[in-house]
Amino acid sequence: MSQSDQAITASGDHGHEHRDDIGSKMGMWLFLFTELLLFGGMFLAYGYYRYLYSDEFHFAATELSTSIGTLNTVILLTSSLTVALAIAAIQKGKKNFAIFNLVVTIGFALAFMVNKYFEWAAKMHHGIYPGADELLAKSNGEIIFFGLYYVMTGLHGLHVVIGLVLLAVMLVFVIQDKITKDKYVALENSGLYWHLVDLIWIFLFPLFYLIQ
Amino acid sequence: MANGTVALEEKSFYEESTNRWNKGILAWIFSTDHKRIGLLYLYGISAFFLVGVLAGILMRLELIAPGKDLFEPQFYNQLFTLHGVIMIFLFIIPGLPAIFGNFFLPIQIGAKDVAFPRLNLLSWWIYVVGAIMALISIVLPDGPLDTGWTFYVPYSVRSGTNISLAIMAAFVLGFSSILTGLNFITTIHRMRAPGMTWFRMPLFGWSMYATAWIQIIATPVVGITILLVVLERYFGIGIFDPTLGGDPILFQHLFWIYSHPAVYIMILPAMGVVSEIIPTFARRTIFGYKAIAMSSLAIAFVGYLVWAHHMFTTGISDTSRIIFSLLTFIVALPSGVKVFNWVATMYKGSIDPKPPFIWVMNFIFLFSIGGLTGLVLGSLATDIHVHDTYFVVAHFHYVMFGGVGTIFFAALYYWFPKMFGRMYNIKTANIAAALYFVAFNMLYFPKFIMGYMGMPRRYYDYLPEFEAMQQISTVGSWLMGITMILIFGSLIYSMKKGKKAHKNPWGGVTLEWHIESPPTLENFHEIPTVKTEPYDFSQLKEMDYESK
């Protein structure tokens, strides 16, 4: 079988030093699939409550700042470009350009989280967070809207942080030459993860900020 | 094929470590060898199984007479929750895939290990962490959870017991399950030996493949559901809380979107084991190989679309009830395909009724009862009558314990000589199988009758008219306890003291029977080239095997 020929097995004394880049990527794709389903449960809940409380959702969404949302969208989309550039650079052996792009990506990720912090802080300042009296005084639909807002953007934010840590580790690996022109599947997989974070946001952004 | 005489400096995987420790527990708990990991799971899972059995026996003891006998009602509630959580999340979901899948899947497809050995070790560690979290939740001051293993809201949001920690344990265990599934899919795609085409793969591999897909597709959904319950408890986000506009029924949907497919995570590997054992002991190739392989995938697919049959009485619309009822009937078809093919395989075979085969016969009988009563529950009118009664409990135990549990023992008896290189006492194994059959039916069959008569599940007390049958069931539970002592006692004894087993004691032909018992670290001297379909018994002539 041609597939198993591509699997390179190191000829050392241990059979466990097995390297199979296609297999690694397949594993990563399967993992991303589980992430999609994790968020899928949330999107299902969102769809259901949007149907149930369409007017209240409509009204509650006007409280969110479209400009901060848009800024974060631009940041994340651009960071997806830079991480892709980092991978392309390492494939061509341009280590320094790869490092530059990874640093920029990490910078974007931090900027996204800083924006998110200010956005959440402003909401909480106005008493819009689960359990707050101001929020409880609002209609049920609005309470659910903000409940979903915090859970979904919070879970997404958690993924941004995980991605950030992952990319930072990859940065160290590139600097230490553990990721090279011939061996870059770990960076590719981290890039895939980062694109997933981006992709989820592409759906969160219109659902919360744009549909008003 | 290499036979036993080649072994000059042959060391088994017991004697060769994969890490820097040569001996001792560290050489095991940090080992990346799929066989060692499989055995680690075996020991952990068996221990939890016995705890679950003990909880079950205690429950039955409380039910020996109406009214209070031994415990307070609250403790009873915690006992059945504990029984459910341990049996579901710590025994039956990881049971067959993590133990036998780990040990035998790579060998059966002619690989040295799984695709991601380190990830495999991580899965085991995550399992351990989840198990420890579950155990801590039992001993913390607020007491073990009392919601039943389904954690239904709103009670799971209101209950003062250690809900959050216990259900986060289920979340963590789910993570372990996902990583195992991901590993197995990649292994099957990438690591098959030359010549091992998809349709030359043993059926256990096919069933593991279907199982792994369900693990990946369904588990994240329960993950997010559990997170939402925890967030609801701490922050009151309102998603499941009706006072804030949330909908508790949404929880049930999300929960069963995972937990119904999860029963196929449990049963599919068991069906795979049956498809291995029957050809070996009937000395005949499997009847309808492709039909069995495809029916695994069909079960995985349709099984994903039947979850709302757990919710027929929640007030969901008639349209959705009819659709889900229809789909439930459809999912019974591929299971039927398998059973008929197994029976057809035995027809005109040269049957050698060794213990694994006898256990499989137990399975076919018990699982058929379980499956057919499932149709009673799947049809709308009858479900209303028996919903949430002992009938459901009986059905569930016939398919889960009678199905998966029985095959857990069948697989153990089938592969024991390969895993440990020693043989158990055949007569004891046969007695255990017979005792198991009697105990099982005594324990659970009265529940069908009681359920039909209206005995609700999970109740602490009951009306006097149920007393006789409750007592039969309780005595059955003692008999089951004795059977378990017999099984585990004799197997543990044989692990150390059993006589040395032949490398192919049953005359099996799949790849694991071509190698040493116990296998070497890398399983094969050289990766085999597969030339035949998996159950081609003509090759037995050239193979070294123990004849009767």
Side-chain angles (χ1 to χ4, degrees):
Chain A
M1 274 194 76
S2 64
Q3 273 193 340
S4 32
D5 294 342
Q6 285 160 8
I8 310 152
T9 308
S11 53
D13 49 353
H14 277 286
H16 299 278
E17 291 161 33
H18 168 92
R19 185 176 153 203
D20 176 9
D21 289 352
I22 297 175
S24 302
K25 248 195 272 182
M26 178 184 270
M28 192 64 198
W29 276 107
L30 290 169
F31 180 72
L32 295 184
F33 193 39
T34 69
E35 290 276 16
L36 282 183
L37 283 153
L38 184 81
F39 278 95
M42 298 289 335
F43 283 115
L44 186 75
Y46 178 94
Y48 172 62
Y49 287 120
R50 171 125 218 149
Y51 171 78
L52 211 60
Y53 302 110
S54 52
D55 291 343
E56 288 97 327
F57 267 47
H58 187 79
F59 180 65
T62 56
E63 299 254 354
L64 297 184
S65 161
T66 313
S67 49
I68 291 192
T70 313
L71 181 62
N72 265 349
T73 309
V74 173
I75 288 174
L76 265 195
L77 281 177
T78 319
S79 74
S80 248
L81 171 71
T82 52
V83 83
L85 284 175
I87 296 166
I90 209 81
Q91 284 170 334
K92 294 202 167 85
K94 294 177 181 166
K95 182 179 167 185
N96 288 334
F97 190 54
I99 292 173
F100 169 76
N101 275 301
L102 276 176
V103 171
V104 173
T105 311
I106 292 168
F108 278 134
L110 286 170
F112 181 91
M113 289 313 291
V114 169
N115 270 340
K116 190 101 270 171
Y117 167 77
F118 282 118
E119 194 189 355
W120 275 33
K123 290 275 162 316
M124 290 182 183
H125 185 69
H126 290 109
I128 300 176
Y129 56 91
D133 294 334
E134 273 110 312
L135 183 63
L136 290 178
K138 292 177 188 283
S139 70
N140 279 347
E142 285 169 281
I143 296 173
I144 298 280
F145 178 87
F146 285 108
L148 284 169
Y149 164 77
Y150 277 106
V151 175
M152 291 175 84
T153 58
L155 199 61
H156 177 262
L158 184 68
H159 280 77
V160 173
V161 173
I162 295 170
L164 199 156
V165 173
L166 210 57
L167 290 173
V169 173
M170 291 306 129
L171 177 63
V172 174
F173 281 178
V174 171
I175 293 170
Q176 292 177 343
D177 285 326
K178 282 182 184 164
I179 291 175
T180 58
K181 194 177 175 217
D182 311 307
K183 196 181 161 194
Y184 51 82
V185 70
L187 179 63
E188 254 187 319
N189 280 344
S190 310
L192 282 175
Y193 186 84
W194 193 249
H195 294 317
L196 171 95
V197 170
D198 192 11
L199 183 76
I200 301 280
W201 181 256
I202 294 291
F203 284 90
L204 288 180
F205 174 57
L207 287 179
F208 283 104
Y209 297 85
L210 290 185
I211 314 178
Q212 288 178 353
Chain B
M1 279 300 152
N3 58 40
T5 53
V6 195
L8 289 173
E9 35 166 2
E10 215 58 77
K11 279 185 183 170
S12 80
F13 75 96
Y14 287 100
E15 292 148 342
E16 216 169 340
S17 171
T18 59
N19 55 30
R20 56 199 152 102
W21 296 282
N22 282 322
K23 274 200 164 67
I25 191 162
L26 293 177
W28 279 80
I29 61 175
F30 293 112
S31 173
T32 51
D33 179 20
H34 67 104
K35 298 179 287 298
R36 287 196 177 198
I37 294 173
L39 288 181
L40 288 174
Y41 273 116
L42 173 66
Y43 303 140
I45 287 172
S46 304
F48 282 114
F49 172 68
L50 292 176
V51 175
V53 168
L54 191 67
I57 290 175
L58 287 176
M59 270 156 66
R60 288 296 339 152
L61 210 53
E62 167 58 43
L63 293 168
I64 196 164
K68 179 179 178 239
D69 302 314
L70 295 165
F71 324 118
E72 296 301 321
Q74 173 67 6
F75 185 72
Y76 178 81
N77 289 348
Q78 290 167 329
L79 214 50
F80 75 64
T81 306
L82 198 66
H83 173 78
V85 169
I86 287 179
M87 286 303 200
I88 299 281
F89 293 104
L90 290 169
F91 168 62
I92 214 160
I93 289 181
L96 290 162
I99 299 171
F100 301 105
N102 256 319
F103 202 111
F104 289 103
L105 177 68
I107 300 181
Q108 283 198 327
I109 63 171
K112 290 179 177 177
D113 206 319
V114 292
F116 309 117
R118 279 182 297 176
L119 192 69
N120 201 17
L121 178 61
L122 181 69
S123 306
W124 181 75
W125 272 103
I126 294 175
Y127 173 82
V128 171
V129 169
I132 290 173
M133 284 168 70
L135 291 178
I136 292 176
S137 82
I138 296 172
V139 292
L140 279 186
D142 290 333
L145 76 170
D146 58 351
T147 56
W149 75 273
T150 50
F151 323 126
Y152 269 18
V153 295
Y155 186 58
S156 59
V157 176
R158 304 250 189 287
S159 170
T161 53
N162 294 319
I163 304 280
S164 301
L165 187 60
I167 64 177
M168 279 312 284
F171 179 86
V172 171
L173 291 168
F175 217 98
S176 161
S177 179
I178 286 175
L179 293 180
T180 302
L182 182 160
N183 213 338
F184 285 176
I185 292 181
T186 315
T187 305
I188 291 172
H189 272 277
R190 301 290 305 160
M191 310 274 287
R192 279 174 290 126
M196 174 70 72
T197 58
W198 282 94
F199 288 112
R200 280 187 193 160
M201 193 162 66
L203 286 163
F204 182 64
W206 270 104
S207 73
M208 288 307 310
Y209 186 69
T211 307
W213 270 111
I214 312 177
Q215 284 175 308
I216 283 186
I217 294 173
T219 317
V221 182
V222 82
I224 189 69
T225 314
I226 286 171
L227 276 183
L228 285 174
V229 173
V230 173
L231 290 172
E232 191 76 62
R233 281 178 71 84
Y234 284 116
F235 301 108
I237 48 174
I239 292 175
F240 295 140
D241 188 347
T243 56
L244 300 176
D247 188 349
I249 300 294
L250 182 65
F251 169 87
Q252 294 189 22
H253 278 293
L254 288 171
F255 180 81
W256 288 115
I257 285 176
Y258 163 73
S259 296
H260 194 78
V263 307
Y264 300 107
I265 296 179
M266 308 168 196
I267 197 70
L268 276 171
M271 291 168 154
V273 174
V274 174
S275 310
E276 295 297 313
I277 291 178
I278 289 183
T280 298
F281 292 93
R283 284 286 188 282
R284 201 169 171 277
T285 187
I286 193 96
F287 186 87
Y289 172 91
K290 282 192 181 171
I292 295 181
M294 288 304 132
S295 66
S296 291
L297 295 184
I299 288 176
F301 178 70
V302 185
Y304 204 70
L305 305 171
V306 300
W307 76 86
H309 67 213
H310 295 269
M311 301 165 59
F312 282 159
T313 60
T314 55
I316 59 173
S317 73
D318 279 345
T319 317
S320 49
R321 295 203 306 158
I322 289 166
I323 290 170
F324 278 108
S325 178
L326 178 71
L327 287 167
T328 304
F329 276 83
I330 289 174
V331 83
L333 294 178
S335 305
V337 166
K338 281 180 193 285
V339 173
F340 287 122
N341 278 313
W342 292 329
V343 175
T345 304
M346 287 183 264
Y347 179 67
K348 286 190 174 168
S350 160
I351 291 174
D352 180 16
K354 290 271 167 53
F357 185 82
I358 293 174
W359 279 91
V360 165
M361 291 303 102
N362 269 346
F363 163 85
I364 291 186
F365 184 84
L366 299 173
F367 183 72
S368 298
I369 295 181
L372 291 172
T373 51
L375 295 178
V376 175
L377 292 162
S379 53
L380 294 174
T382 44
D383 181 69
I384 304 294
H385 180 70
V386 290
H387 185 88
D388 257 353
T389 66
Y390 269 27
F391 195 88
V392 180
V393 178
H395 158 73
F396 189 64
H397 283 84
Y398 266 85
V399 283
M400 288 297 114
F401 192 16
V404 190
T406 308
I407 289 304
F408 175 77
F409 296 117
L412 207 50
Y413 280 114
Y414 183 54
W415 280 317
F416 186 91
K418 184 55 66 184
M419 295 165 97
F420 299 101
R422 291 182 187 275
M423 187 49 99
Y424 47 83
N425 185 311
I426 300 280
K427 198 177 254 175
T428 318
N430 286 340
I431 293 171
L435 209 56
Y436 177 86
F437 184 80
V438 176
F440 189 97
N441 287 301
M442 221 173 137
L443 175 50
Y444 298 114
F445 200 83
K447 292 192 173 166
F448 277 125
I449 304 168
M450 282 188 275
Y452 187 77
M453 287 162 67
M455 173 73 210
R457 69 192 291 194
R458 292 178 173 166
Y459 272 34
Y460 171 71
D461 200 359
Y462 53 85
L463 296 172
E465 68 214 61
F466 295 116
E467 193 171 355
M469 268 182 293
Q470 290 277 17
Q471 279 166 357
I472 294 174
S473 183
T474 300
V475 174
S477 78
W478 301 339
L479 207 52
M480 187 56 92
I482 293 168
T483 314
M484 291 303 138
I485 292 168
L486 187 64
I487 292 173
F488 283 98
S490 79
L491 287 183
I492 291 169
Y493 173 83
S494 309
M495 269 165 66
K496 297 271 173 232
K497 300 276 171 70
K499 69 175 185 353
K500 263 194 144 354
H502 191 279
K503 74 181 218 181
N504 187 2
W506 316 125
V509 290
T510 41
L511 285 177
E512 77 269 32
W513 303 114
H514 291 263
I515 60 171
E516 318 308 322
S517 295
T520 55
L521 179 61
E522 296 192 348
N523 302 336
F524 303 94
H525 302 285
E526 56 182 303
I527 296 295
T529 304
V530 181
K531 297 191 184 71
T532 57
E533 48 110 13
Y535 310 106
D536 178 6
F537 282 88
S538 66
Q539 54 183 312
L540 206 53
K541 287 197 289 286
E542 293 128 44
M543 281 175 72
D544 179 19
Y545 76 102
E546 191 173 9
S547 50
K548 284 181 258 185

